[in-house]
């Protein structure tokens, strides 16, 4: 029909994707049977209400959060309280400290979406956030021997040298964060005092930003040439510290505190999901043997499993954290909510392209973190690469339909522009999710993920 009507090639793409998507959905027969069995245990009266109510409530809450960021604060408060209560009593006894940290970090992160997006310079908050990130880096360096791997099949002296080099990497990145914590506010003070950006300060800021950003990738390339793999936690720590330096340099207020709290919540989410998965595997007598499994970029091996009902929670939470990265410190629908004051430490002459690039780089840094954590989590749960990804895509399409009907053609230009921006962001979210999926593999690369009942490396 398209051929006879002379339809453009895009029409074929619009038709091909639903066919591919629903074919993949129908192939998940065991999952559909499991969902049907779960709701079969409910009464006929409450079965549709439970399914439709929970699903629609979550999606509509995320849609409404585009207009009121306080929804994320309420969601974090609910996650802080409800998730620890829904796990098994045995899990609560074994991971009391972990769940307590989860509650504390969720409540801390919930504060930031209550703060205004329009903010003035507050160097005290910048220093406090940078100091917290620096202290966390020092703590990671102190405990790094537990997750720093020596290259296999080498002499003891060479292995010690390699481990020392990896630990030095964490220390250098931590020191760069400390330098950025001091250099950023100092540059702002000197610029305000002199009336222009000092050349020495400008060059120092650029040098620290470039070195800190490129250092882990150079280190990873050296490891790749040596056919050496990193522990997943070591890789996440280096990514966290590498992007912390430019983020602190481009911070004018509480953004660095958000970076610390958001990163802590992501790490705790990964840890709890892994622990829940291993508890479930133990209960099903399918716990993997305590060994170190290589997680690579190739498609999942025969040992991978199908998507289960519990993985729906993981997909929804990933979608939630991506939205928090969007609106944690501003409103992405309006770049005006992100202050250009943050780029004045690197450039003062008006250059819209360079300024926009630096601003977008700062906005995208939280997405780098969530994509890296999601990449590790997908492999830790031993899922096929596209399973959670397709679920998130299907969810974003439902949100896009909501915003399509919310587009306005009356009222002020601001209201019309915001409604169109929300629809475009939601529509492009599909493409952005694909980019995040690819980025997760690029950032994480080859990592070693310990698996086992006690989750210890041998």
């Amino acid at each position: 029909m398209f051929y006879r009507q002379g339809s453009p090639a895009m029409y074929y793409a619009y038709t091909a994707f639903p066919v591919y998507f629903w074919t993949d959905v129908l192939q998940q027969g065991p999952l559909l049977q499991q969902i049907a069995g779960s709701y079969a245990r409910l009464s006929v009266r409450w079965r549709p209400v439970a399914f439709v109510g929970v699903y629609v409530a979550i999606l509509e809450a995320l849609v409404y959060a585009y207009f009121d960021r306080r929804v994320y604060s309420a969601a974090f408060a609910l996650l802080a309280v409800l998730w620890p209560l829904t796990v098994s009593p045995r899990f609560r006894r074994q991971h009391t400290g972990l769940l307590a940290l989860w509650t504390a970090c969720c409540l801390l992160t919930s504060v930031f979406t209550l703060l205004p997006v329009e903010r003035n310079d507050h160097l005290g908050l910048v220093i406090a956030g940078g100091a917290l990130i620096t202290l966390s880096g020092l703590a990671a360096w102190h405990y790094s021997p537990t997750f720093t791997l020596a290259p296999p099949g080498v002499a003891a002296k060479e292995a010690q040298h390699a481990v020392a080099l990896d630990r030095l990497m964490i220390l250098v990145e931590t020191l760069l964060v400390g330098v950025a914590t001091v250099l950023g506010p100092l540059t702002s003070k000197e610029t305000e005092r002199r009336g222009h950006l000092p050349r020495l300060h400008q060059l120092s800021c650029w040098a620290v930003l470039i070195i800190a950003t490129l250092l882990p990738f150079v280190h990873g390339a050296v490891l790749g040439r040596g056919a050496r793999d990193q522990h997943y936690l070591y890789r996440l720590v280096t990514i966290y510290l590498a992007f912390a330096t430019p983020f602190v340099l481009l911070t004018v207020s509480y953004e660095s505190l958000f970076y610390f709290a958001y990163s802590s919540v992501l790490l705790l989410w990964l840890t709890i999901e892994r622990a829940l998965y291993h508890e479930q595997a133990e209960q099903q007598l399918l716990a993997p043997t305590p060994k170190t499994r290589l997680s690579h970029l190739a498609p999942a091996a025969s040992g991978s499993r199908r998507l289960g009902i519990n993985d729906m929670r993981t997909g929804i939470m990933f979608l939630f954290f991506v939205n928090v990265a969007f609106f944690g410190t501003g409103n992405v629908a309006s770049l005006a909510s992100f202050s250009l004051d943050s780029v004045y430490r690197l450039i003062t002459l008006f250059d819209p392209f360079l300024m926009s690039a630096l601003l977008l780089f700062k906005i995208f840094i939280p997405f780098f973190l969530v994509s890296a954590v999601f990449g590790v989590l997908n492999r830790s749960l031993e899922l096929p690469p596209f399973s959670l990804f397709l679920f998130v895509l299907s969810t974003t399409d439902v949100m896009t339909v909501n915003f399509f009907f919310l587009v306005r053609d009356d009222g002020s230009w601001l209201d019309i522009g915001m409604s169109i921006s929300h629809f475009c962001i939601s529509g492009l979210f599909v493409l952005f999710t694909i980019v995040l999926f690819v980025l997760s593999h690029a950032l994480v690369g080859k990592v070693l993920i310990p698996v086992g009942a006690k989750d210890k490396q041998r």
Side-chain angles (χ1 to χ4, degrees), residues 21-282:
F21 174 78
W22 285 110
T23 301
D24 191 88
V25 169
L26 293 176
Q27 288 176 350
Q28 302 289 335
L31 172 61
L32 298 177
Q33 293 177 1
Q34 188 179 1
I35 293 174
S38 298
Y39 286 98
R41 290 190 289 269
L42 295 175
S43 66
V44 177
R45 180 181 179 183
W46 292 106
R47 196 182 309 158
V49 176
F51 179 80
V52 176
V54 173
Y55 188 77
V56 172
I58 294 174
L59 292 180
E60 293 301 324
L62 291 178
V63 170
Y64 185 71
Y66 275 65
F67 305 95
D68 192 344
R69 295 165 61 243
R70 292 176 296 180
V71 172
Y72 298 116
S73 298
F76 270 119
L78 290 175
L79 284 174
V81 177
L82 294 183
W83 200 14
L85 295 178
T86 56
V87 298
S88 65
R90 177 191 173 200
F91 188 90
R92 282 198 296 269
R93 289 193 301 269
Q94 292 180 344
H95 302 88
T96 304
L98 179 63
L99 294 176
L101 279 175
W102 167 260
T103 300
C105 289
C106 281
L107 293 177
L108 175 62
T109 311
S110 68
V111 174
F112 296 99
T113 46
L114 296 175
L115 300 175
V117 295
E118 294 83 9
R119 49 192 175 273
N120 298 321
D121 287 3
H122 199 305
L123 300 183
L125 294 178
V126 175
I127 295 174
L132 284 176
I133 298 173
T134 303
L135 291 176
S136 65
L138 292 175
W141 172 79
H142 177 73
Y143 292 104
S144 59
T146 61
F147 55 82
T148 304
L149 304 178
V154 299
K157 186 175 181 180
E158 186 177 349
Q160 292 178 356
H161 175 73
V163 170
L165 182 62
D166 287 347
R167 295 193 67 202
L168 179 62
M169 176 74 177
I170 295 178
L171 185 60
V172 170
E173 287 187 336
T174 303
L175 292 177
L176 287 174
V177 175
V179 170
T181 304
V182 176
L183 185 60
L186 181 62
T187 302
S188 297
K189 288 284 188 181
E190 287 297 314
T191 302
E192 182 180 357
R193 185 176 66 86
R194 300 185 186 185
H196 64 89
L197 177 62
R199 187 67 173 175
L200 179 61
H201 290 73
Q202 183 183 20
L203 294 177
S204 300
C205 289
W206 275 108
V208 170
L209 184 146
I210 294 174
I211 293 173
T213 304
L214 297 181
L215 196 58
F217 296 99
V218 174
H219 184 59
V222 172
L223 291 179
R225 287 199 301 269
R228 212 179 130 209
D229 302 301
Q230 297 174 326
H231 192 284
Y232 80 94
L233 191 56
Y234 176 85
R235 187 61 180 165
L236 290 179
V237 167
T238 55
I239 292 173
Y240 160 71
L241 292 174
F243 290 115
T245 298
F247 198 84
V248 171
L249 272 178
L250 297 172
T251 291
V252 296
S253 185
Y254 59 80
E255 301 101 302
S256 57
L257 290 171
F258 169 79
Y259 184 87
F260 171 77
Y262 183 68
S263 304
S264 302
V265 170
L266 288 177
L267 181 59
L268 291 171
W269 173 50
L270 170 64
T271 306
I272 294 175
E273 289 283 5
R274 281 169 48 81
L276 286 172
Y277 171 62
H278 288 301
E279 182 192 48
Q280 181 185 7
E282 289 177 359

Side-chain angles (χ1 to χ4, degrees), residues 209-367:
L209 184 146
I210 294 174
I211 293 173
T213 304
L214 297 181
L215 196 58
F217 296 99
V218 174
H219 184 59
V222 172
L223 291 179
R225 287 199 301 269
R228 212 179 130 209
D229 302 301
Q230 297 174 326
H231 192 284
Y232 80 94
L233 191 56
Y234 176 85
R235 187 61 180 165
L236 290 179
V237 167
T238 55
I239 292 173
Y240 160 71
L241 292 174
F243 290 115
T245 298
F247 198 84
V248 171
L249 272 178
L250 297 172
T251 291
V252 296
S253 185
Y254 59 80
E255 301 101 302
S256 57
L257 290 171
F258 169 79
Y259 184 87
F260 171 77
Y262 183 68
S263 304
S264 302
V265 170
L266 288 177
L267 181 59
L268 291 171
W269 173 50
L270 170 64
T271 306
I272 294 175
E273 289 283 5
R274 281 169 48 81
L276 286 172
Y277 171 62
H278 288 301
E279 182 192 48
Q280 181 185 7
E282 289 177 359
Q283 292 174 353
Q284 298 175 352
L285 301 179
L286 295 175
T289 55
K291 62 181 181 180
T292 299
R293 171 175 55 80
L294 177 63
S295 177
H296 49 79
L297 297 179
S302 58
S304 63
R305 60 183 181 85
R306 289 184 176 272
L307 201 66
I309 289 181
N310 289 333
D311 300 316
M312 301 295 101
R313 178 194 65 240
T314 306
I316 283 289
M317 290 189 67
F318 168 69
L319 182 62
F320 168 72
F321 282 122
V322 170
N323 279 271
V324 171
F326 264 114
F327 298 101
T329 59
N331 184 358
V332 177
S334 175
L335 290 179
S337 65
F338 296 90
S339 175
L340 282 176
D341 293 343
S342 58
V343 304
Y344 291 155
R345 298 165 185 168
L346 298 168
I347 182 173
T348 53
L349 297 177
F350 182 73
D351 188 338
F353 295 103
L354 182 56
M355 288 181 169
S356 299
L358 289 172
L359 186 59
L360 289 174
F361 178 57
K362 174 189 174 183
I363 294 172
F364 287 150
I365 284 177
F367 298 108

